[in-house]
Amino acid sequence: MKRIGMGLVGAGFVGPHHIDAVRRLGFVDVVAVAGSSDESGRGKAEALGVQKGYGSYQALLDDPDVQVVHNATPNYLHYEVTSAALARGKHVVSDKPLAMTAAQAKRLVNEAQRAGVVAAVTFNYRGNPLVQQARLAIVRGDIGTPHFLHGYYLQDWLIKDTDYSWRLDPEKGGASSALGDIGSHWCDLAQHVTGLRITHVLGDIATVVKKRKKPRGLREAFQTEVDGDGEFVDIRVEDLASVLVRFDNGARGCFSVGQVCAGHKNDLVLEVCGRKASLRWRQEAQNELWVGHRDTANEVLQKDPSLLDADARGYAHLPGGHQEAWADAFCNLMREIYRCIAEGPPYASLPPMVATFEDGFRANRIVDAILESAADGGAWTAVGK
Ligand SMILES: NC(=O)c1ccc[n+]([C@@H]2O[C@H](COP(=O)([O-])OP(=O)(O)OC[C@H]3O[C@@H](n4cnc5c(N)ncnc54)[C@H](O)[C@@H]3O)[C@@H](O)[C@H]2O)c1
């Protein structure tokens, strides 16, 4: 198989997982990493065992060996890095959100179309085998028509006033923190699993930690305070939100997101209630899918390739009882994206499991509508097309 060259821009928390995932594919060479300075580019390349470390994303884009650019920079750089990569005719794997604003995201949808390359967004929870099993079960009609979707996505890594991330600075993270960062995952997953579209939202948002100590230097995601250095600043973006949701088939829903909920580490829960049965998947126990019945005992389906549908089985790589996790689901996504790239032009559409730039744009639109609803005092608000 022809080998494919990958370059990563932004090697903080999630970037190295992009590298791990593509290395597992066997036909992808991790060619280069770009950091925010020469020193950080070189340091990251050395730490990750990558041959070339660049001090700017422009230098990485100049490298002819880089065919696929992975954008794992803070949100405010998403548009410029992705747009520049597309202009060079490179394939792009953008971490979410696709862009900081819906207007930028829409521009990227058009730019990717014009470039004629493979362009994907890492809404990675789609890559879990039991998520795909749930999706296929719903398509088959196993639970009947969904009428209620509910759940939450809660974390606790920003609960202290000494916890800080660029996500809390609207200039760097965008107008939203919790909703944009993790609410977007919940909405994408709910729509992906059911095939429904969120049409209207009613949001209530809050900033629980109103002042935070902002470190003077760089702090990557999930790092805690090290040296006590920094000063308290006002926080304007939400770290907690609850949302009522309406879907295009008339189904109702609700979810909460929070980055300030002790004990919840990466606790994403989605339950879909249909007229015949319910399904529930929880990221923190991702090897199980709960199936709720009215007239028979409820069930728990274990992640076991021999028990999964043929179309979901390929996403499980170990026998039952051997736990698979976040990084395995992330790798499933990369396998599908690079399969498309390897097949060559004209590039086929990505399989449903991979979020497209259109999906990324839609996620931006939903978050915008929730913020608008909250600003209107909790009014039902249509999600823009
Ligand atoms: N899909 C997921 O589940 C998931 C999980 C975490 C983060 N993310 C997304 O990934 C992106 C990065 O998040 P993170 O948590 O890894 O953040 P992070 O702060 O841990 O890492 C960002 C990295 O980008 C680097 N950087 C900053 N400016 C740069 C520049 N000009 N050129 C190159 N590198 C630069 C920083 O030095 C840092 O190493 C965000 O958009 C976030 O929403 C997605």
Side-chain angles (χ1 to χ4, degrees):
M1 191 177 228
K2 203 165 149 274
R3 299 195 69 81
I4 299 172
M6 175 269 204
L8 170 73
V9 187
F13 160 64
V14 86
H17 294 286
H18 285 246
I19 288 184
D20 283 349
V22 303
R23 278 184 170 146
R24 285 170 64 181
L25 304 183
F27 59 97
V28 179
D29 295 318
V30 182
V31 172
V33 179
S36 50
S37 64
D38 286 340
E39 190 193 352
S40 101
R42 269 196 308 273
K44 296 284 185 184
E46 198 179 326
L48 294 164
V50 178
Q51 213 186 345
K52 301 182 225 177
Y54 292 118
S56 74
Y57 72 82
Q58 291 91 343
L60 180 139
L61 297 184
D62 283 341
D63 188 328
D65 295 335
V66 173
Q67 293 157 265
V68 190
V69 176
H70 288 235
N71 186 355
T73 55
N75 299 354
Y76 75 104
L77 291 166
H78 283 198
Y79 175 78
E80 67 175 75
V81 173
T82 296
S83 179
L86 292 171
R88 301 291 187 96
K90 314 259 183 192
H91 305 287
V92 176
V93 178
S94 168
D95 221 310
K96 41 58 60 177
L98 176 56
M100 206 154 78
T101 67
Q104 288 178 341
K106 183 67 189 166
R107 287 211 291 278
L108 290 177
V109 169
N110 296 333
E111 289 169 28
Q113 259 162 17
R114 277 200 299 277
V117 294
V118 174
V121 183
T122 51
F123 280 116
N124 43 296
Y125 297 109
R126 295 182 180 203
N128 192 283
L130 288 179
V131 165
Q132 288 308 311
Q133 179 71 17
R135 185 176 73 80
L136 294 165
I138 291 171
V139 169
R140 203 172 34 233
D142 288 4
I143 70 163
T145 305
H147 56 265
F148 185 47
L149 285 82
H150 61 104
Y152 52 80
Y153 195 163
L154 306 178
Q155 300 181 328
D156 67 3
W157 69 293
L158 294 174
I159 198 169
K160 297 182 183 173
D161 66 2
T162 49
D163 295 328
Y164 193 83
S165 166
W166 51 260
R167 289 164 173 79
L168 298 156
D169 175 356
E171 302 288 313
K172 297 215 158 92
S176 158
S177 178
L179 285 163
D181 201 38
I182 52 179
S184 56
H185 271 300
W186 192 93
C187 294
D188 179 78
L189 195 67
Q191 295 184 117
H192 174 64
V193 165
T194 59
L196 301 175
R197 287 283 161 266
I198 294 173
T199 58
H200 293 78
V201 292
L202 185 157
D204 179 38
I205 67 176
T207 305
V208 174
V209 183
K210 294 187 171 56
K211 282 186 184 291
R212 289 178 184 269
K213 196 173 189 188
K214 182 178 179 183
R216 268 181 252 286
L218 173 79
R219 190 182 301 166
E220 292 178 341
F222 298 103
Q223 289 179 336
T224 46
E225 185 182 35
V226 209
D227 50 13
D229 197 24
E231 59 182 35
F232 278 89
V233 296
D234 291 330
I235 301 296
R236 288 175 283 146
V237 290
E238 88 293 345
D239 48 23
L240 185 71
S242 292
V243 188
L244 291 179
V245 186
R246 289 182 187 154
F247 292 86
D248 55 357
N249 75 336
R252 299 302 208 257
C254 59
F255 70 94
S256 293
V257 292
Q259 296 158 316
V260 290
C261 301
H264 297 271
K265 304 301 171 188
N266 195 37
D267 204 3
L268 165 58
V269 176
L270 172 67
E271 181 170 321
V272 185
C273 301
R275 293 299 298 274
K276 289 199 252 174
S278 303
L279 292 174
R280 181 171 65 236
W281 182 76
R282 182 175 183 204
Q283 201 285 143
E284 289 190 351
Q286 60 186 272
N287 287 259
E288 296 181 349
L289 181 67
W290 177 83
V291 190
H293 300 289
R294 148 107 178 225
D295 295 322
T296 54
N298 296 338
E299 303 163 84
V300 175
L301 173 66
Q302 308 284 337
K303 188 248 7 149
D304 178 336
S306 69
L307 301 177
L308 301 186
D309 283 20
D311 287 345
R313 195 171 298 146
Y315 298 127
H317 303 285
L318 292 166
H322 297 68
Q323 304 298 301
E324 289 179 64
W326 193 97
D328 302 288
F330 202 82
C331 185
N332 282 333
L333 220 66
M334 297 306 156
R335 189 170 289 107
E336 293 291 14
I337 295 167
Y338 276 81
R339 201 196 310 270
C340 249
I341 296 171
E343 279 167 11
Y347 297 101
S349 303
L350 288 162
M353 193 257 254
V354 183
T356 61
F357 274 23
E358 274 290 348
D359 296 326
F361 168 57
R362 178 126 196 104
N364 277 98
R365 280 284 205 220
I366 294 170
V367 172
D368 283 356
I370 299 169
L371 294 182
E372 195 184 318
S373 161
D376 281 355
W380 277 106
T381 303
V383 176
K385 298 250 183 277

